[in-house]
Amino acid sequence: MNFLINIRKGGLVFLLLLTYSLMQGQEASIIVQSRTTSEGMAVNWFPTSPQLWKSLMTQGYRVSRVEIDTMGNEIGASVVLANNLTPKDSSWFVVNGNLSDGLMEPIGALMYDPQFDFPENDLMDDTEMKYNFIVYETTRDIQIANAVGLGFLDSTVVEDKHYKYDITAVNGGYSAFVRITNLYYNYGQSGENPVEFTFPDGRSLSDMLAAARPYDPDRIVAMSRMYGDSIVLRWGPTNPKFWKRAMEEGYKIYKSVGDGELELLTTVKPWPESEIKESIASDSMALVAAGILYSDNSKYNIQDMSIGDQIAIFENNYGFSLYAAERSPLAADILGLRYVDKDVMKDSLYNYIITTESIIDPFHTGRISKTNTYVPVPQPYDLTVVTGDKALTLVWNLAKNKKEFVAYSLERSEDGQNYESLTKKPLVFIETDRLPLVEYSFLDSVGVNNKTFYYRLRGYNSFGELSEAAEIEAQARDLTPPTPVVIVQSRYLKTANQFSIEWAEQNGQAEDLANYQVLMSDHPEGQFNAISPVLEKEATSFVLDVGDLDLDQAFFFTVISQDINGNISRAYPSQIAVPDLTAPLPPEVLVGYVDTFSVVHLTWEHSTSKDVSGYWLYWSDDPKAEMAPVNNELLTTNTYAWYIDEKSFNDYIYLCIRAEDDAYNRGVPSKVIKVARLDVMPPVDPIMESVSPENGQMQI
């Protein structure tokens, strides 16, 4: 598909143009854009998919140009203007990060910084996010396009000549072209925008830059509504100063049909004061618009008022003017922010450009290209109801509806036939960076439960139209649980081997009480499990046969109260302490030895009793003597070592061990073991009893 595009060198012109690139019968894979600047012809392009963009990035592109006549026929030979166009290297972005108002720095970080990492999100992967952030900016700035290998500035063009530019991927698999002519201010595009750039939080890099500035750049945001027999254009300036200047300059509207030339259609300005009649009194937003334009508050030399207050009024008037234009077609007409084109044909493609004399950058103009086919206003999307107690909250999707509607109307009926308005004025939602909205919602306090209510939600669009209704019905229901009971007694009946739990209501039994149930856990904040069947609401006690239940644990009980609507309350847990009078068994195996440093080493197997919390060691030099404790604190391990005096006439020491449970019961001692000491003591010195001569010898 070819477009003859109006270009005048150095003039206020631009184009957004989809050309074709066919590969094995697939759809276009490269989009080409071009516009004139004071330095020459700016041409930029990009693949239509993130993966294709990534794969072609390192291979590069070739740009060639051939002169053409007014009919698009080629004249002479094609000239290669650039070969192997690839992104600048990382060092270039470091040096030139301040270009394009500083956007070049984050572009370079996205391209090359290995530390840069996007937060995880469900919308797109890393390549897709880089594609959206980077490529979108190339469509707005030729410097950025050139830096990332997706743009070329042709400074050799000659005014009044016509050209065709061919963009070819070096690998030869993809190509696209655009024809440029000298027809003033023409604009063309193939159908709807072929690529929609999206961002995780809805803001591009340039949007983030604009948010950091006092005002947006002077630009016009435009939209249209196709009715078949007419086309309504709506637009708005992006900052107060531009709004004030544009009202004086007027908005110039250029129009073309299909691939035809753009021609000046009209210039739109606010209504003069003489045209403000009493007939607008029935439209409150029209009155607001007239007041903004011609009341004393719109004059900025107000006496006895500070400059700050005057600026505040000025900015408020700007905001109210856009708000009024969104709400009322008549207000938009009065403010010069709306135009109805009735010289149209059904199902034909129309292109519009809305601009002012002071706009320099052509990409800051309002641009529209749509087929004049009527599409009904959709009903609001994803309407749901959150049920409450005597209240219903209607919720509808923010992201989908924000694109379609500026305000809402909500009605309610008790019979599904007769409706009353819940919003006497259109419902408008205000969202700021500090107070972001997650969803749209409306709380309706119906005052009763279990009664069906019917709702109709409609949306107002920017053209003053009211959509078809999204309908839903719902009942509020009782969400208030009964007052929890109080457990007045809980005990263990040893003789019967039973648990007994008794309870009582605190403030009398609720009228909608349905039943009780008893639950048990081994911890007051643990998982409670039912130990009783569902009990009648007349019940006040429950007895549980313990049976083979292990009593060596903690027992906590609670009682839940449930009403007829399923609401549940829980009593504060009560503990039953079962006396533990059973001592734990001693370890069956105890071994030990004394090393060369006279350190006794003991090791034992743990007791087989479940409630053991630790151990006590005992020793003696004599198996018949009373044994003394070794440790001063409870041992929780199964090994222990300590030093004993080396000097002893006893060859052995004797040891045993006792287990202690969590009820502080100490079990019987284990079998006594004998462990050999070190032998470091010499024999006792002999005693000389007598020395006497005997038969010529000495008898000792």
Side-chain angles (χ1 to χ4, degrees):
M1 185 173 295
N2 306 330
F3 294 94
L4 295 180
I5 304 303
N6 156 29
I7 297 295
R8 178 165 294 167
K9 183 177 179 182
L12 179 60
V13 265
F14 76 101
L15 70 96
L16 174 60
L17 162 79
L18 171 65
T19 62
Y20 68 87
S21 169
L22 300 181
M23 183 178 182
Q24 298 178 351
Q26 297 178 2
E27 295 183 356
S29 58
I30 294 181
I31 292 176
V32 180
Q33 299 175 324
S34 180
R35 63 188 177 99
T36 57
T37 71
S38 59
E39 300 175 349
M41 188 72 66
V43 182
N44 65 280
W45 58 91
F46 58 91
T48 56
S49 79
Q51 297 302 326
L52 182 59
W53 165 70
K54 183 178 180 181
S55 67
L56 296 181
M57 185 187 304
T58 56
Q59 300 173 27
Y61 300 87
R62 180 174 60 252
V63 180
S64 57
R65 185 192 72 197
V66 63
E67 188 177 346
I68 58 175
D69 60 23
T70 56
M71 300 302 295
N73 300 313
E74 297 183 5
I75 303 173
S78 176
V79 178
V80 176
L81 301 177
N83 234 331
N84 299 320
L85 287 177
T86 57
K88 307 288 187 184
D89 60 26
S90 59
S91 61
W92 184 94
F93 283 95
V94 172
V95 174
N96 298 280
N98 61 336
L99 295 181
S100 299
D101 290 333
L103 280 179
M104 206 65 79
E105 181 179 358
I107 293 290
L110 288 170
M111 293 283 292
Y112 294 112
D113 189 351
Q115 303 299 319
F116 189 91
D117 189 20
F118 285 106
E120 291 186 5
N121 69 87
D122 297 330
L123 295 177
M124 58 193 79
D125 61 26
D126 190 77
T127 298
E128 291 171 325
M129 281 194 285
K130 288 184 178 181
Y131 172 84
N132 280 271
F133 277 114
I134 295 173
V135 173
Y136 173 73
E137 300 304 331
T138 68
T139 67
R140 305 178 71 254
D141 190 314
I142 188 61
Q143 274 192 326
I144 295 176
N146 183 56
V148 301
L150 296 177
F152 180 77
L153 182 63
D154 183 7
S155 59
T156 65
V157 292
V158 177
E159 192 169 354
D160 296 329
K161 286 194 174 183
H162 312 259
Y163 300 97
K164 173 190 171 188
Y165 289 87
D166 286 277
I167 313 299
T168 305
V170 173
N171 71 357
Y174 299 88
S175 63
F177 67 83
V178 58
R179 289 187 174 95
I180 308 299
T181 73
N182 228 9
L183 307 173
Y184 182 69
Y185 217 61
N186 198 9
Y187 169 77
Q189 179 178 303
S190 177
E192 302 294 332
N193 288 330
V195 175
E196 182 177 353
F197 297 99
T198 58
F199 314 97
D201 65 350
R203 296 196 302 172
S204 66
L205 293 176
S206 49
D207 290 335
M208 298 177 196
L209 178 63
R213 293 171 170 172
Y215 299 114
D216 270 343
D218 295 348
R219 58 188 178 93
I220 295 173
V221 178
M223 60 180 64
S224 63
R225 184 83 173 104
M226 306 301 181
Y227 294 98
D229 60 348
S230 64
I231 297 175
V232 177
L233 307 178
R234 278 272 293 110
W235 61 88
T238 56
N239 67 70
K241 290 183 178 179
F242 180 39
W243 166 67
K244 174 63 175 175
R245 188 170 64 252
M247 286 194 293
E248 298 171 357
E249 297 176 353
Y251 297 92
K252 294 182 182 297
I253 302 177
Y254 292 84
K255 171 186 175 182
S256 72
V257 182
D259 296 342
E261 302 177 16
L262 279 171
E263 297 180 354
L264 180 63
L265 176 62
T266 186
T267 299
V268 179
K269 290 186 176 183
W271 285 12
E273 190 170 5
S274 60
E275 293 187 16
I276 305 297
K277 308 295 184 181
E278 293 182 358
S279 59
I280 72 170
S282 60
D283 189 327
S284 61
M285 291 295 103
L287 290 175
V288 169
I292 289 171
L293 293 175
Y294 300 114
S295 70
D296 289 339
N297 286 340
S298 67
K299 297 182 174 68
Y300 306 114
N301 58 348
I302 303 173
Q303 298 295 321
D304 302 324
M305 184 173 288
S306 69
I307 294 177
D309 289 340
Q310 293 182 44
I311 292 175
I313 290 177
F314 175 45
E315 293 182 344
N316 286 339
N317 284 341
Y318 162 71
F320 279 122
S321 70
L322 297 184
Y323 175 71
E326 290 278 354
R327 289 275 308 279
S328 163
L330 180 57
D333 286 337
I334 293 172
L335 291 163
L337 300 175
R338 180 176 181 270
Y339 179 77
V340 181
D341 185 5
K342 296 184 178 180
D343 184 17
V344 295
M345 294 182 295
K346 184 179 180 181
D347 299 328
S348 295
L349 175 66
Y350 288 90
N351 309 299
Y352 296 92
I353 293 176
I354 304 168
T355 186
T356 67
E357 292 180 0
S358 61
I359 289 183
I360 298 176
D361 190 333
F363 280 93
H364 290 169
T365 60
R367 295 164 288 173
I368 295 168
S369 180
K370 281 189 177 181
T371 301
N372 184 20
T373 302
Y374 174 73
V375 177
V377 181
Q379 66 183 33
Y381 299 98
D382 302 339
L383 176 63
T384 59
V385 176
V386 178
T387 301
D389 197 331
K390 298 182 180 179
L392 295 167
T393 301
L394 289 96
V395 179
W396 56 103
N397 186 282
L398 183 147
K400 292 182 180 179
N401 290 289
K402 189 176 184 179
K403 298 178 181 179
E404 300 285 349
F405 307 109
V406 297
Y408 300 90
S409 170
L410 186 61
E411 299 174 299
R412 183 184 69 192
S413 172
E414 296 185 13
D415 58 9
Q417 301 295 326
N418 302 298
Y419 285 82
E420 62 175 348
S421 176
L422 295 178
T423 53
K424 303 302 181 184
K425 297 180 180 180
L427 182 61
V428 178
F429 294 91
I430 305 299
E431 183 177 19
T432 67
D433 290 338
R434 291 187 176 183
L435 298 172
L437 295 175
V438 177
E439 59 191 9
Y440 293 138
S441 63
F442 182 88
L443 175 62
D444 184 20
S445 298
V446 296
V448 295
N449 290 322
N450 305 319
K451 180 178 180 179
T452 301
F453 290 91
Y454 305 84
Y455 294 91
R456 295 194 305 208
L457 176 69
R458 292 184 170 91
Y460 291 92
N461 66 12
S462 296
F463 299 89
E465 294 178 285
L466 191 61
S467 74
E468 294 295 323
E471 300 186 10
I472 200 167
E473 62 184 70
Q475 291 184 350
R477 66 183 184 90
D478 177 20
L479 298 178
T480 303
T483 302
V485 300
V486 175
I487 298 178
V488 296
Q489 188 177 70
S490 57
R491 53 183 176 160
Y492 172 62
L493 306 176
K494 182 177 180 180
T495 304
N497 197 26
Q498 294 176 327
F499 290 125
S500 174
I501 300 94
E502 300 177 15
W503 60 89
E505 293 285 350
Q506 298 187 59
N507 302 312
Q509 199 171 78
E511 293 182 0
D512 60 350
L513 182 70
N515 53 65
Y516 300 110
Q517 194 166 24
V518 182
L519 283 67
M520 183 179 73
S521 175
D522 61 356
H523 192 277
E525 297 180 0
Q527 177 67 42
F528 280 82
N529 298 306
I531 58 171
S532 79
V534 174
L535 305 174
E536 298 294 333
K537 62 181 181 179
E538 291 76 20
T540 59
S541 64
F542 177 73
V543 175
L544 173 68
D545 289 323
V546 173
D548 297 331
L549 187 65
D550 183 6
L551 296 178
D552 189 16
Q553 60 177 309
F555 295 95
F556 292 89
F557 297 87
T558 186
V559 178
I560 61 172
S561 305
Q562 180 170 281
D563 64 20
I564 57 176
N565 294 302
N567 300 305
I568 292 175
S569 64
R570 178 180 291 184
Y572 189 81
S574 176
Q575 182 179 14
I576 294 180
V578 179
D580 181 6
L581 303 178
T582 303
L585 297 173
E588 294 185 359
V589 177
L590 175 65
V591 295
Y593 68 94
V594 178
D595 66 17
T596 56
F597 298 99
S598 195
V599 174
V600 182
H601 297 268
L602 286 181
T603 303
W604 58 92
E605 291 184 354
H606 283 296
S607 169
T608 56
S609 298
K610 295 181 180 180
D611 59 345
V612 169
S613 56
Y615 302 94
W616 296 97
L617 294 173
Y618 300 88
W619 82 290
S620 172
D621 279 325
D622 186 342
K624 298 180 180 180
E626 183 176 354
M627 290 189 171
V630 174
N631 48 306
N632 296 322
E633 296 181 354
L634 191 66
L635 299 177
T636 57
T637 63
N638 66 334
T639 62
Y640 191 69
W642 80 100
Y643 172 80
I644 61 172
D645 193 351
E646 299 177 3
K647 297 179 179 181
S648 174
F649 292 106
N650 295 325
D651 294 331
Y652 299 95
I653 59 172
Y654 301 88
L655 304 111
C656 70
I657 187 170
R658 300 173 67 185
E660 180 176 298
D661 64 17
D662 50 19
Y664 305 104
N665 297 309
R666 292 192 188 181
V668 298
S670 66
K671 294 180 179 179
V672 177
I673 65 170
K674 181 173 66 172
V675 176
R677 277 178 171 275
L678 292 180
D679 185 4
V680 298
M681 295 295 291
V684 177
D685 294 338
I687 299 173
M688 187 75 72
E689 293 184 350
S690 66
V691 178
S692 61
E694 184 174 337
N695 299 325
Q697 296 177 337
M698 295 295 295
Q699 178 71 33
I700 302 174

